[in-house]
Amino acid sequence: MSATDAVTFWNGVYAARSAATDPQPNALLTETVSDLSPADVLDLGCGDGGDTLWLADRGWHVTAVDISAVALARLTDLTNSHGLGDRVTAEQHDLRKSFPQGRFDLISAHYLHTPFDLDRATVLRAAAHALRPGGRLLVVDHASTAPWSWNHDPDLRYQSPQEVAAGIALDPATWLVERADALRRIATGPDGRTAEVTDHVLMIRRTV
């Protein structure tokens, strides 16, 4: 499918629901990042903007990336209304074709899933190479299908964190896997429904 198809699809996903006025950050982001000193962070697939706002409010300078112009326009409105516009740069990228420039101390990729062809290993490898020494790549993936998911393919198989790390194929002399596990939690969907879901968590640190 074409890049136009992907943009149209994701614009439709966001346009079909009301703009979030107070989007909440992902729990695994707040749990993992709270003890880190604010610096430069890349939010890959920023969506409704909960992670971006939470990070910016805590002093991080955020490059927020999404394929959807609808999501990014809403994020810009939110950052301005929260007085955080000077800490957030919103960029539209189809990660199959382009990757944001710069070096980062944290890169967050939460639920970077799509029905369109995406070489995630290449994207995550580019992310790892965009880290400064000491920086971390946090990858949180679905490991179960929530009732509100756009993808209910019964044949869908979720990669384990270890498989994701192996696919990225980073040199262990430069990158260290600090965490690779699965966690269960109660999640709340865009329509307010709750369900138990499983997440896969992968944390990689650039050592040099």
Side-chain angles (χ1 to χ4, degrees):
M1 294 184 183
S2 71
T4 301
D5 292 333
V7 172
T8 299
F9 174 84
W10 285 110
N11 279 338
V13 167
Y14 289 102
R17 61 193 193 218
S18 299
T21 57
D22 186 26
Q24 297 302 300
N26 285 296
L28 286 167
L29 175 76
T30 62
E31 168 198 315
T32 305
V33 174
S34 290
D35 292 336
L36 299 181
S37 299
D40 295 315
V41 56
L42 173 60
D43 185 2
L44 287 176
C46 61
D48 288 320
D51 289 354
T52 291
L53 289 174
W54 185 87
L55 288 161
D57 191 50
R58 280 150 184 80
W60 291 83
H61 291 274
V62 188
T63 299
V65 169
D66 207 280
I67 193 172
S68 169
V70 174
L72 293 172
R74 290 177 173 181
L75 174 64
T76 299
D77 289 342
L78 279 172
T79 56
N80 289 335
S81 67
H82 283 71
L84 298 170
D86 60 335
R87 295 183 187 169
V88 177
T89 301
E91 297 184 8
Q92 185 177 14
H93 286 272
D94 179 345
L95 294 173
R96 298 175 300 175
K97 306 177 89 174
S98 64
F99 193 88
Q101 298 294 309
R103 289 291 179 265
F104 304 93
D105 303 283
L106 173 67
I107 299 178
S108 173
H110 271 71
Y111 312 115
L112 194 62
H113 305 287
T114 176
F116 298 87
D117 291 336
L118 175 66
D119 186 346
R120 286 206 338 146
T122 296
V123 172
L124 295 177
R125 190 176 304 115
H129 281 272
L131 292 170
R132 295 188 178 112
R136 290 173 169 86
L137 169 62
L138 173 62
V139 182
V140 179
D141 289 335
H142 293 302
S144 63
T145 302
W148 51 82
S149 174
W150 48 264
N151 191 347
H152 283 272
D153 181 354
D155 297 322
L156 181 64
R157 179 184 176 276
Y158 297 98
Q159 282 190 312
S160 71
Q162 292 81 4
E163 289 173 321
V164 173
I168 303 174
L170 296 170
D171 184 349
T174 303
W175 290 272
L176 173 68
V177 175
E178 291 189 322
R179 180 177 180 181
D181 54 19
L183 296 175
R184 291 183 179 180
R185 64 184 176 90
I186 301 299
T188 302
D191 58 1
R193 283 183 294 172
T194 60
E196 184 179 75
V197 299
T198 303
D199 292 317
H200 283 156
V201 185
L202 175 66
M203 176 78 90
I204 296 174
R205 179 167 57 88
R206 183 167 189 166
T207 57
V208 294

